Amino acid sequence: VWGSGRGLGPSAGRLVHDSALVGGALAFLRSPLMPENLKGLDAFLGRHARYAELEAREILKSRAGASRGQRPGRLTGSWPERRRFIKTRIWYRLPYRPALRFAWMFIIKRGFLDCRPGLVYCELISAYQAMIYARLLEFERANSSVAFP
C-alpha cells in the first residue's frame, strides 16, 4: 500500500503526486478498493489549492533544471516514463491547459456520460489547472525567487 511520503519506502521525489519506487514483486488486492470521501467541496477545494501551489513549484523546478534528482522521462520508455516525459516536456509548455484538461476529461474520456456530476467534476479539475497557472504567474511575478524545499 502507498506510503512513500511517510518514510515507508523510496519515492520519485516530487512535491505533489509523488509515486512509489517498487523494487520487489507487486501484488493485486483481493477486493476492490472503494474510496469514500465524504468531506465535501470545501475540503476538495482546499486540498487542490495546496496541490496547485506544489505543482507550480514543480513546474518552476523543472524549468530551472532543479529536478535533477527525479527520474527522467523517456519517450521510448515504459508507460510511467512516457507519461513523465509528456508532462514535463510537453504539457508544462502548452497554453490553455485548463481548457485542454476539460476537453480531455469531458469529451475524450467521456465525462459527459456522467451527466451533471461529470460536468461539475471536469469543471473542478480544469479549475485546478487554472489555479496551478495562477500560482505559477504569482511565483514568476515575485522575481522567481521561490525557495525549493
Side-chain angles (χ1 to χ4, degrees):
V1 178
W2 180 250
S4 173
R6 297 173 197 94
L8 299 176
S11 71
R14 289 181 43 85
L15 295 174
V16 65
H17 306 304
D18 203 357
S19 57
L21 302 176
V22 180
L26 297 176
F28 289 96
L29 295 174
R30 293 188 181 131
S31 60
L33 181 63
M34 300 300 289
E36 237 182 88
N37 187 342
L38 304 175
K39 294 178 184 173
L41 187 58
D42 290 334
F44 178 89
L45 293 173
R47 184 173 57 249
H48 281 78
R50 288 189 307 274
Y51 292 165
E53 179 179 351
L54 296 173
E55 189 71 38
R57 289 179 188 269
E58 283 291 335
I59 292 171
L60 288 176
K61 280 174 55 176
S62 175
R63 287 181 182 171
S67 57
R68 297 185 201 279
Q70 295 178 9
R71 294 172 50 183
R74 295 184 311 159
L75 193 56
T76 59
S78 65
W79 170 241
E81 291 171 328
R82 285 193 309 268
R83 183 180 163 113
R84 194 174 310 113
F85 177 87
I86 291 168
K87 185 172 186 176
T88 58
R89 303 278 176 92
I90 299 170
W91 179 251
Y92 284 167
R93 298 175 185 187
L94 288 176
Y96 310 112
R97 285 191 307 265
L100 291 172
R101 183 78 184 261
F102 178 82
W104 172 260
M105 292 183 67
F106 193 70
I107 298 167
I108 296 172
K109 298 296 278 184
R110 299 181 302 198
F112 62 86
L113 293 176
D114 290 326
C115 298
R116 185 177 288 162
L119 174 65
V120 170
Y121 182 71
C122 293
E123 288 173 333
L124 286 171
I125 295 301
S126 68
Y128 166 61
Q129 289 295 318
M131 285 191 285
I132 294 170
Y133 187 69
R135 281 294 191 173
L136 194 56
L137 289 175
E138 180 182 55
F139 290 153
E140 288 171 346
R141 288 201 176 167
N143 297 326
S144 300
S145 59
V146 178
F148 300 121

